[in-house]
């Protein structure tokens, strides 16, 4: 069975084909970065329009002169959470394609797709596990009991980790989205040059708050001599603070649930230091294992949508007949 996955929740247009026997066959992502970079962040109206053009372009590139109907069996698309206009483009496109080709269409949850994306690399990941979801708009600690049953144990109260990376990167003069660039800059920073606070580490909840770090970074940057070295030092201190907070809370969650498996997913899970430090933490305190995907599956992509569509279809749930978008949709409330 082959699943066509369509992802348009924000500013990446992703189309992929997942084969139940052979695995991932195709994974194409069109990144709108250059378009939004000049505004310093995503402009929702422009993102939706760009998805419309990119979708046709990618589809033609993938299928060329082949019959789409013969290449795929079902279609899965991101129904939420995300930007309503962007979601509508993908949902309308997927449902129209399904109707014209007479193929079943399945709406899927974007964050569940992120959460399960490491399974594209490691099929053997077993439930239950703790998932640290760190992306552009989410920072969540999830108890993953079994496929489709998740509990949010911790959430971000303001800026998500990726958002904090992007905003601090902007203050450092880096391009949008600056998370990866900030991390590169941080590699040249001097360890312990300055110290950033670790917000909410003493709070009993597993919640996060990162917006204060961006203000703290703004003050440090204003006072520094604007040299590349000083900016690198600040980037390093910022990155260390975010990772420390993420791992302190994740450690508490693993301890609370008495579990040994950790999955980290979402764009920020591409961060090298987060990967290294989480591996050490889980080994040292739990003698456990950390799973994360290869970098192309960390940020938004169609592969994770196609894979989740395959899993949902296996569960023999009814395909959806209406065009469904849910811009605000908690992973606690999957309706399948
Ligand atoms: N190496 C890295 N270090 C830190 N942050 C990174 C790195 N690579 C990517 N990011 C960040 O990941 C984020 C993008 O991730 P993703 O595509 O999962 O988010 P999103 O889809 O916009 O948000 P959501 O999934 O919450 O709806 C950006 O904020 C980006 O800066
Ligand atoms: Mg995402």
């Amino acid at each position: 069975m082959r699943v066509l996955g369509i992802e348009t929740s924000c500013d990446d247009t992703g189309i992929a084909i997942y084969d139940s026997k052979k695995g991932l066959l195709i994974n194409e992502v069109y990144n709108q970065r250059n378009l939004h970079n000049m505004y310093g962040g995503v402009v929702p109206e422009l993102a939706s329009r760009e998805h419309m053009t990119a979708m046709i372009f990618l589809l033609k590139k993938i299928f060329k002169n082949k019959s789409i109907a013969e290449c795929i069996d079902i279609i899965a698309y991101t129904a939420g959470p995300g930007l309503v206009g962007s979601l509508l483009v993908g949902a309308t496109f997927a449902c129209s394609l399904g109707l014209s080709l007479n193929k079943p269409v399945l709406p899927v949850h974007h964050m569940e797709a992120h959460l399960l994306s490491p399974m594209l690399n490691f099929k053997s990941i077993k439930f239950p596990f703790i998932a640290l979801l760190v992306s552009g708009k989410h920072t969540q600690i999830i108890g993953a009991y079994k496929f489709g049953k998740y509990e949010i144990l911790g959430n971000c109260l303001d800026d998500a980790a990726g958002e904090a990376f992007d905003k601090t990167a902007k203050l450092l003069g880096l391009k949008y989205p600056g998370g990866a660039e900030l991390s590169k800059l941080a590699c040249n920073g001097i360890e312990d040059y300055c110290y950033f606070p670790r917000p909410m580490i003493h709070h009993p909840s597993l919640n996060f708050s990162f917006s204060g770090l961006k203000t703290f970074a703004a003050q440090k940057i204003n006072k520094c001599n604007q040299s590349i070295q000083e900016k690198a030092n600040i980037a390093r201190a910022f990155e260390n603070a975010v990772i420390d907070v993420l791992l302190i809370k994740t450690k508490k969650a693993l301890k609370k649930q008495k579990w040994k498996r950790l999955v980290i997913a979402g764009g920020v899970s591409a961060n090298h230091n987060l990967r290294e430090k989480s591996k050490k933490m889980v080994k040292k305190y739990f003698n456990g294992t950390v799973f994360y995907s290869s970098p192309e599956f960390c940020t938004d992509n169609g592969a994770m949508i196609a894979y989740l569509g395959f899993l949902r279809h296996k569960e023999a749930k009814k395909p959806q007949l209406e065009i469904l978008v849910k811009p605000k949709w908690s992973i606690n409330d999957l309706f399948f």
Side-chain angles (χ1 to χ4, degrees):
M1 190 189 63
R2 286 184 179 177
V3 188
L4 179 73
I6 296 180
E7 158 60 36
T8 62
S9 67
C10 189
D11 60 340
D12 292 305
T13 317
I15 299 193
I17 301 177
Y18 184 84
D19 183 299
S20 53
K21 290 205 178 83
K22 296 181 185 160
L24 189 65
L25 300 182
I26 284 166
N27 184 36
E28 292 282 347
V29 179
Y30 171 82
N31 191 284
Q32 302 181 6
R33 198 166 295 159
N34 290 342
L35 172 70
H36 300 287
N37 185 24
M38 62 179 109
Y39 302 99
V42 177
V43 183
E45 173 70 19
L46 294 181
S48 327
R49 287 166 187 262
E50 195 74 347
H51 280 309
M52 293 203 288
T53 323
M55 191 72 75
I56 306 285
F57 169 77
L58 290 182
L59 218 67
K60 281 186 176 162
K61 183 176 170 192
I62 292 170
F63 293 102
K64 296 194 176 80
N65 298 325
K66 285 185 229 151
S67 147
I68 302 179
E70 284 170 22
C71 296
I72 61 161
D73 301 295
I74 65 169
I75 301 166
Y77 70 91
T78 303
L83 299 171
V84 66
S86 292
L87 291 168
L88 273 168
V89 175
T92 311
F93 198 87
C95 293
S96 312
L97 201 61
L99 197 66
S100 63
L101 302 177
N102 196 24
K103 304 281 179 191
V105 181
L106 288 173
V108 301
H109 191 284
H110 180 77
M111 298 313 294
E112 186 185 19
H114 271 306
L115 189 150
L116 300 174
S117 62
M119 292 185 183
L120 284 161
N121 297 103
F122 304 96
K123 290 236 166 35
S124 58
I125 303 175
K126 292 208 167 35
F127 289 96
F129 57 79
I130 289 292
L132 174 66
L133 289 185
V134 270
S135 58
K137 288 167 254 7
H138 292 79
T139 309
Q140 294 182 322
I141 295 181
I142 310 263
Y145 296 93
K146 60 176 187 170
F147 174 55
K149 186 165 187 279
Y150 313 104
E151 181 188 7
I152 299 174
L153 304 172
N155 220 334
C156 60
L157 304 179
D158 41 50
D159 292 358
E163 195 177 348
F165 263 96
D166 293 342
K167 286 178 176 171
T168 305
K170 194 173 171 184
L171 292 168
L172 287 165
L174 304 171
K175 282 185 183 166
Y176 173 84
E181 289 297 312
L182 185 150
S183 186
K184 253 190 242 163
L185 182 64
C187 290
N188 300 319
I190 300 163
E191 187 75 16
D192 298 329
Y193 164 85
C194 61
Y195 185 83
F196 272 55
R198 269 61 174 161
M200 290 189 73
I201 53 167
H202 300 299
H203 195 274
S205 75
L206 296 176
N207 292 335
F208 302 94
S209 166
F210 289 120
S211 68
L213 283 186
K214 164 201 67 197
T215 315
F216 194 85
Q219 286 167 359
K220 287 277 175 201
I221 295 163
N222 283 340
K223 281 188 206 146
C224 87
N225 67 14
Q226 306 302 315
S227 67
I228 290 285
Q229 184 58 56
E230 287 229 348
K231 286 187 174 178
N233 297 342
I234 292 169
R236 184 159 189 151
F238 167 84
E239 186 181 66
N240 282 343
V242 174
I243 294 174
D244 269 5
V245 175
L246 290 173
L247 294 186
I248 287 169
K249 297 278 179 174
T250 304
K251 185 177 155 198
K252 278 189 190 169
L254 285 162
K255 212 168 155 188
K256 184 169 170 241
Q257 300 294 105
K258 300 193 177 70
W259 293 346
K260 286 174 170 229
R261 279 182 292 273
L262 172 67
V263 162
I264 50 175
V268 183
S269 71
N271 185 283
H272 178 70
N273 284 323
L274 174 62
R275 290 175 172 218
E276 288 307 308
K277 288 183 178 176
S278 61
K279 257 197 277 184
K280 280 189 192 143
M281 182 274 283
V282 172
K283 187 82 196 142
K284 181 171 173 192
Y285 294 100
F286 304 97
N287 196 23
T289 319
V290 182
F291 300 93
Y292 42 77
S293 61
S294 47
E296 72 269 28
F297 305 136
C298 291
T299 44
D300 290 352
N301 62 85
M304 64 183 191
I305 304 302
Y307 180 64
L308 178 52
F310 158 68
L311 296 178
R312 283 250 163 272
H313 187 73
K314 264 205 325 189
E315 292 268 293
K317 304 289 174 187
K318 276 192 209 138
Q320 197 80 24
L321 296 173
E322 58 181 314
I323 295 173
L324 181 92
V325 294
K326 284 167 79 80
K328 286 195 191 314
W329 185 11
S330 166
I331 199 167
N332 280 346
D333 304 328
L334 298 181
F335 49 74
F336 307 103

